[in-house]
Amino acid sequence: MQAVILAAGASSRFWPLNKRHKSLIKIMGKPLIWYTIDGLRKAGVKEIIIIQSLSKSVEKSLKDYRFRNIKIKYVIQKKPKGMGNALWQARELTKERFFVLNAERLDGRFYIRLAAKERKSPVILFASFTDTPYLYGILDIKDSKVKGIIEKPEPGKEPSNLKVVGTYGLSKDFFNHYQKIKKHMYDFEDALNLFIKKKGARVIKIDKESFPLKYPWHLFDITKYLMDKYLKRKISKTAEIKKNVTIEGKVYIGKNTKIYEGAVIKGPCYIGNNVIIGNNAIVREYTNLEDGVIVGANSEVARSIFQEGVHVHSGYFGDSIIGKNTKIGAGTVTANVRLEREEIKAIVKGKKINTGLKHLGAIIGENVKVGVNTSLMPGVLIGSNSVIGPHSLVMGNVEDSTLYYTLRKEIKKKL
């Protein structure tokens, strides 16, 4: 079997963690795309084509990993012109039948196994039920026959409540239909609709879509799944555990990591290589600390995801995600619950989005510097390369490369 993995998009809805493709976020020491590839390998896929951007960041991130019994080829999409254009770049390498999926589809193995008996169908679609059809591509079905897909139909005008899950089985004839349609950002759907009209499609319904990764906070469910499935208790022989340290449950501690007196680690937790956890710090359930992280003395980190090189001093970090090489001063607190305990909303691309979460802290990009005694309100997003001044109260989003501080009034300046 052959699979085409799409990993060249701009991941705009994943801001502020989209300085590189979202599938390169690391959980338990590996980028998400690693888990996708490993799942496909276990499903019997023998060849994978990865479509990446001009930066080749995916290829660079995977160069140190080896996958048995599978061949990986890379193709470049020079500009993010949509899924159809991305797939077109791989047309010379595709076989007669192939699967297409996004790079962060950890459950690709599940879909491919479901489709094992349907490989002769020119188009295989996977669909699940949704209460919010206006957010997705929705199947237009009449008399049990698929007529096509309607992208984000207006409320009240949706043809069904079955959304298309981002995995497809296609035959090479798809490219002949793609050549016939007008090219634009969503021309994949146009070509697919034309293909379905001519050749028909087989729909495989699933109870629930697993692990979507549209917005940054979806990483919490993915982290929980991966830790429940793969995490094992292990403490490296080179880790330095000082006196009176408490370690409970499934906890992985990597090489040359140091945990100082009085610290408490309550699993499941992943603590990578060369991490430092200071005196009396608390690190608890479903926290992921990648290589080179420093958690200062008297800090508490709960259900949070820190990428490589994050440094935090004393403070509280709950249900938060922090990008690579961000440094946060002492006394910083991420508020992760609204006063009225209602669902937390976030602003993404200028629109207020329901996160579905009642616990959500801050989501911070890469190379951010946060001054001492800063307060970050629930659901705040802070862009990469920004600077947050000391004693600031951050009530709303801060764009990339912005100097933000509050004295008597809020001040924002482009750096």
Side-chain angles (χ1 to χ4, degrees), residues 42-141:
K42 291 175 180 176
V45 173
K46 299 298 183 184
E47 185 176 304
I48 291 177
I49 303 167
I50 297 178
I51 303 172
Q52 62 179 335
S53 68
L54 201 58
S55 69
K56 297 185 179 181
S57 58
V58 175
E59 188 173 354
K60 292 172 184 176
S61 296
L62 290 175
K63 67 180 176 62
D64 294 328
Y65 300 101
R66 297 291 179 266
F67 299 93
R68 291 181 300 163
N69 303 321
I70 197 166
K71 182 184 293 185
I72 299 177
K73 299 177 182 179
Y74 293 94
V75 174
I76 291 175
Q77 183 186 27
K78 293 182 179 180
K79 295 182 179 180
K81 293 183 177 181
M83 183 174 170
N85 178 267
L87 197 54
W88 180 254
Q89 311 310 313
R91 65 193 183 280
E92 301 296 335
L93 297 177
T94 55
K95 295 181 178 178
E96 182 55 35
R97 296 186 182 278
F98 55 93
F99 287 93
V100 180
L101 67 161
N102 291 326
E104 68 280 359
R105 294 247 51 129
L106 309 185
D107 49 4
R109 170 174 56 171
F110 168 70
Y111 295 123
I112 286 176
R113 285 179 174 171
L114 280 178
K117 296 180 180 179
E118 304 291 341
R119 291 182 200 164
K120 292 183 179 180
S121 300
V123 180
I124 301 174
L125 303 174
F126 299 90
S128 64
F129 293 98
T130 178
D131 295 326
T132 54
Y134 51 87
L135 294 177
Y136 303 98
I138 300 297
L139 286 179
D140 186 1
I141 300 178

Side-chain angles (χ1 to χ4, degrees), residues 318-322 334-335 360-364 376-382:
D319 305 282
S320 296
I321 307 172
I322 304 179
T334 62
L360 177 61
I363 299 175
I364 304 173
L376 308 174
M377 292 299 100
V380 161
L381 311 180
I382 297 176

Side-chain angles (χ1 to χ4, degrees), residues 171-235:
S171 70
K172 201 174 181 69
D173 194 28
F174 168 83
F175 296 110
N176 295 327
H177 293 79
Y178 182 76
Q179 286 181 297
K180 298 175 183 178
I181 53 93
K182 183 179 179 181
K183 304 302 182 285
H184 59 95
M185 184 60 71
Y186 300 103
D187 54 19
F188 173 80
E189 289 78 6
D190 291 348
L192 191 59
N193 281 339
L194 180 61
F195 198 13
I196 292 171
K197 183 178 179 180
K198 298 288 186 181
K199 300 290 185 178
R202 172 75 170 94
V203 176
I204 299 177
K205 296 177 184 178
I206 58 176
D207 293 334
K208 183 180 179 182
E209 181 185 8
S210 303
F211 319 117
L213 192 60
K214 183 178 292 187
Y215 300 110
W217 52 85
H218 290 157
L219 283 170
F220 295 119
D221 283 341
I222 287 175
T223 298
K224 184 177 185 302
Y225 165 77
L226 290 176
M227 286 192 178
D228 287 344
K229 187 174 179 65
Y230 295 107
L231 186 65
K232 295 181 180 179
R233 183 180 172 99
K234 179 181 178 182
I235 300 176

